[in-house]
């Protein structure tokens, strides 16, 4: 099949990591897959041979957004794919509209956020509800049991199009030496170092991690990522005299994320809202003990099959994160147990299993009527 994945912005984010894995997995299964970004935000996909951009810069106003939407529709009309897979709020909306205008046979949307009731996100939720209810897209993917439950109040016509496909999470292919990793990112060799990764946005709440440094004078924290909160984070660190123990390494491409994680003694994740928490699960699989905010969805995905937690869950504020990191330092046996549990998540979140789930949805439109696509995959 010829498949186009639609993303909103080109940057090193969780949704983009998922489409990378889906694209790679489906290409390995013989499909032709490209990913089109409505706009280029950073350079991370500039050398990707399977990526295209509608706009080379983020749109600054409504005319720019209209140009991105019209450009996307034209791209899909010219590409004439068999299927379109969309990601993120705007990617779902404009990707679905463009795919409908291009008469695409199969449209699969992904829910990367829980329904909202206020502001712009509330408006986007209402648009999504209408699109899903009236069949604008044919299938609608959710990535966890918690996320699926957030749509319980939506109309039956919306929910019957939902399919649960847990995110695949890659595992490191080679061991990386901690000293070499720290040298590669300019991090201190002797310090006890907590690492974190993710876009610097209010919902990711990295300010709580930086605040933990105020309570813990003997540790360092390194954060991989960029975003609108970076200036506020730097200003907070300067105001509290902790800049020498905060290391902002910038955007780390997916190909180097495990190298960055290898530099840490622990992973800290203070996010305020998630539908899966890919970055935290990735860190756990890499073998780092994880301190995470006690969101219900994180408790779900950071638990191995036997019910054992693969993270220490704390309040998502500076005091809570500091207490969690302090406990890991004081109890090395706890850190070792969490790290061992985290490594077991590798089988639970296999990228191959995720890609098989997407292929089952794709094949469901091309198989004979009444044939179960999952049975077809297993027999194949």
């Amino acid at each position: 099949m010829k498949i186009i994945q639609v993303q909103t912005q080109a940057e090193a984010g969780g949704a983009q990591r998922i489409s990378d894995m889906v694209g790679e997995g489906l290409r390995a299964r013989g499909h032709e897959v490209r990913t089109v970004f409505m706009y280029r935000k950073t350079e991370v996909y500039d050398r990707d041979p399977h990526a295209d951009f509608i706009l080379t810069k983020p749109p600054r106003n409504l005319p720019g957004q209209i140009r991105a939407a019209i450009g996307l529709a034209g791209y899909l009309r010219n590409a004439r794919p068999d299927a379109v897979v969309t990601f993120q709020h705007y990617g779902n909306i404009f990707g679905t509209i463009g795919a409908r205008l291009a008469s695409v046979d199969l449209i699969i949307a992904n829910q990367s956020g829980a329904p909202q009731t206020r502001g712009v996100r509330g408006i986007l939720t209402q648009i999504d509800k209408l699109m899903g209810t009236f069949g604008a897209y044919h299938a609608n993917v959710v990535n966890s049991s918690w996320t699926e439950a957030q749509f319980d109040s939506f109309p039956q016509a919306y929910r019957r199009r939902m399919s649960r496909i847990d995110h695949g999470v890659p595992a490191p292919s080679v061991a990386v030496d901690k000293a070499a990793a720290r040298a590669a990112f300019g991090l201190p060799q002797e310090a006890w170092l907590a690492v974190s990764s993710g876009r610097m946005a209010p919902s990711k709440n990295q300010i709580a991690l930086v605040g933990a440094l105020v309570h813990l004078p003997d540790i360092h924290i390194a954060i991989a990522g960029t975003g609108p909160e970076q200036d506020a984070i730097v200003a907070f660190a300067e105001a509290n005299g902790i800049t020498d123990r905060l290391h902002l390494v910038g955007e780390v491409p997916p190909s180097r994320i495990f190298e960055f994680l290898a530099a840490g003694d622990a992973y800290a994740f203070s996010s305020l809202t998630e539908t899966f928490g890919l970055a935290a699960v990735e860190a756990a699989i890499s073998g780092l003990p994880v301190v995470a905010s006690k969101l219900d969805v994180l408790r779900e995905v950071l638990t191995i099959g036997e019910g054992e937690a693969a993270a220490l869950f704390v309040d998502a504020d500076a005091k809570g994160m500091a207490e969690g990191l302090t406990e890991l330092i004081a109890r090395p046996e706890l850190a070792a147990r969490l790290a061992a549990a985290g490594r077991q998540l590798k089988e639970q979140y296999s990228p191959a299993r995720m890609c098989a789930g997407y292929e089952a949805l794709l094949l469901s439109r091309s198989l004979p009527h009444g044939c179960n696509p999952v049975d077809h995959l297993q027999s194949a």
Side-chain angles (χ1 to χ4, degrees), residues 259-333:
E259 182 184 6
F260 171 72
L261 293 174
D265 294 298
Y267 186 86
F269 194 65
S270 54
S271 183
L272 298 173
T273 177
E274 294 289 334
T275 58
F276 185 84
L278 176 67
V281 179
E282 193 171 53
I285 287 175
S286 78
L288 284 178
V290 173
V291 174
S293 50
K294 51 186 179 183
L295 299 175
D296 288 344
V297 67
L298 293 182
R299 291 184 185 275
E300 175 191 338
V301 302
L302 287 167
T303 298
I304 61 176
E306 296 79 8
E308 180 181 358
L312 183 62
F313 300 104
V314 299
D315 291 332
D317 55 23
K319 184 173 180 290
M321 297 307 299
E323 289 175 349
L325 293 172
T326 297
E327 189 166 0
L328 289 187
I329 296 170
R331 298 178 58 196
E333 77 286 354

Side-chain angles (χ1 to χ4, degrees), residues 73-288:
Y75 175 96
L76 294 174
R77 187 171 58 250
N78 291 332
R80 302 183 65 82
D82 300 305
V84 167
V85 183
T86 67
F87 296 83
Q88 305 184 82
H89 300 294
Y90 291 106
N92 285 347
I93 293 170
F94 293 115
T96 296
I97 293 172
R100 282 290 178 180
L101 292 174
S103 300
V104 176
D105 287 338
L106 175 60
I107 306 168
I108 300 174
N110 279 270
Q111 297 301 326
S112 57
Q116 302 292 315
T117 58
R118 298 179 180 178
V120 174
R121 292 294 177 89
I123 295 172
L124 295 175
T125 292
Q126 292 306 310
I127 295 172
D128 171 75
K129 182 188 289 187
L130 289 172
M131 293 177 75
T133 300
F134 291 103
Y137 41 73
H138 306 99
N140 189 14
V141 176
V142 292
N143 53 25
S144 66
S145 176
W146 181 88
T147 303
E148 187 174 22
Q150 305 313 300
F151 295 89
D152 283 350
S153 64
F154 277 42
Q156 173 70 23
Y158 182 99
R159 288 184 285 117
R160 71 166 174 258
R161 293 182 173 87
M162 294 177 68
S163 296
R164 178 179 166 187
I165 304 176
D166 285 0
H167 279 342
V169 184
S173 56
V174 296
V176 181
D177 177 73
K178 181 183 290 188
R182 291 191 178 190
F185 289 97
L187 300 171
Q189 289 289 344
E190 303 302 325
W192 196 93
L193 178 70
V195 296
S196 190
S197 54
R199 185 168 181 266
M200 291 184 177
S203 65
K204 298 301 181 182
N205 193 34
Q206 286 102 336
I207 196 73
L209 302 183
V210 185
L213 290 175
V214 178
H215 299 278
L216 300 172
D218 298 324
I219 78 163
H220 290 235
I221 287 178
I223 302 175
T226 60
E229 287 293 285
Q230 183 165 340
D231 289 345
I233 288 171
V234 170
F236 179 90
E238 290 174 347
N240 286 274
I242 52 176
T243 54
D244 59 327
R245 294 187 291 118
L246 174 64
H247 311 277
L248 304 182
V249 304
E251 186 176 53
V252 174
S255 61
R256 297 190 67 195
I257 192 64
F258 287 116
E259 182 184 6
F260 171 72
L261 293 174
D265 294 298
Y267 186 86
F269 194 65
S270 54
S271 183
L272 298 173
T273 177
E274 294 289 334
T275 58
F276 185 84
L278 176 67
V281 179
E282 193 171 53
I285 287 175
S286 78
L288 284 178

Side-chain angles (χ1 to χ4, degrees), residues 9-13 16-17 20 37 40-49 51 53 251-256:
Q9 71 273 19
E11 64 177 347
Q16 292 83 353
R17 292 294 305 280
D20 287 348
F37 296 93
R40 175 190 180 276
K41 190 169 184 179
T42 71
E43 63 182 15
V44 71
Y45 285 95
D46 286 1
R47 295 176 180 82
D48 188 329
F53 311 98
E251 186 176 53
V252 174
S255 61
R256 297 190 67 195

